[in-house]
Amino acid sequence: MLTQEAIKELAIDWYKKLDVHVPMVEVLPLLADAELEMVFPEATIYGYAGFEGWFQRVIRIFFDEVHTVKLVESQIDGDKATVKVVVQWEASVWNAPEPFSKRIKCDAFQTWEVKLNEAGKVIITKYIVDGLEYHEGSATL
């Protein structure tokens, strides 16, 4: 059965894995494959293949990441749910040949669609970044 608690645990686990740049094989079980759609400010990707390209790029751009989950609010409908997520994201980025890195700090507003997989685990099928609200003094993307 799909529960608010299981969805929140998925969100916390997702961001913890992104923070420490785990190997991609540890992230894939949190995602659907064939039906996966992810909409980021810079690109829309589909399936594991699209995710791999995005993931390998961002773990080489951003470092010292910290995601703090501020809100996980779910509308559950059977074995599927639409989820509003707000996460504070902090990351450093260095653009060669600049002499110093920059720090990004913002709130990311997202809409997810999740479902239970065959094993009864909650997975992400759709992930949309609705917008970013930068904190005062933050660098921007």
Side-chain angles (χ1 to χ4, degrees):
M1 188 167 136
L2 192 56
T3 66
Q4 300 276 353
E5 183 177 292
I7 295 167
K8 186 172 183 176
E9 286 175 17
L10 168 67
I12 290 167
D13 191 32
W14 168 258
Y15 289 118
K16 185 184 298 182
K17 289 178 183 331
L18 293 183
D19 281 348
V20 297
H21 297 182
V22 297
M24 196 177 72
V25 296
E26 293 182 34
V27 179
L28 292 180
L30 306 180
L31 302 170
D33 182 10
E35 62 192 297
L36 181 65
E37 178 181 3
M38 301 182 94
V39 181
F40 301 102
E42 72 278 11
T44 300
I45 60 170
Y46 301 94
Y48 284 171
F51 177 76
E52 179 179 10
W54 174 85
F55 185 74
Q56 295 303 325
R57 188 175 64 78
V58 299
I59 64 172
R60 286 165 174 75
I61 295 173
F62 302 110
F63 58 97
D64 294 334
E65 290 189 81
V66 178
H67 290 86
T68 305
V69 176
K70 296 172 100 175
L71 174 77
V72 178
E73 190 173 274
S74 307
Q75 287 286 136
I76 297 172
D77 183 14
D79 65 348
K80 296 180 181 182
T82 300
V83 186
K84 290 294 184 183
V85 177
V86 179
V87 62
Q88 180 178 297
W89 175 54
E90 296 182 53
S92 295
V93 62
W94 177 69
N95 297 306
E98 293 178 357
F100 302 103
S101 63
K102 295 179 181 173
R103 190 74 176 160
I104 297 168
K105 187 174 181 181
C106 65
D107 289 339
F109 297 85
Q110 303 172 352
T111 303
W112 296 8
E113 291 180 10
V114 301
K115 72 172 191 176
L116 290 176
N117 66 10
E118 300 79 28
K121 300 286 184 186
V122 185
I123 59 171
I124 300 167
T125 58
K126 194 170 198 173
Y127 182 106
I128 300 169
V129 178
D130 300 312
L132 302 174
E133 225 175 69
Y134 292 97
H135 293 212
E136 188 174 332
S138 173
T140 59
L141 294 175

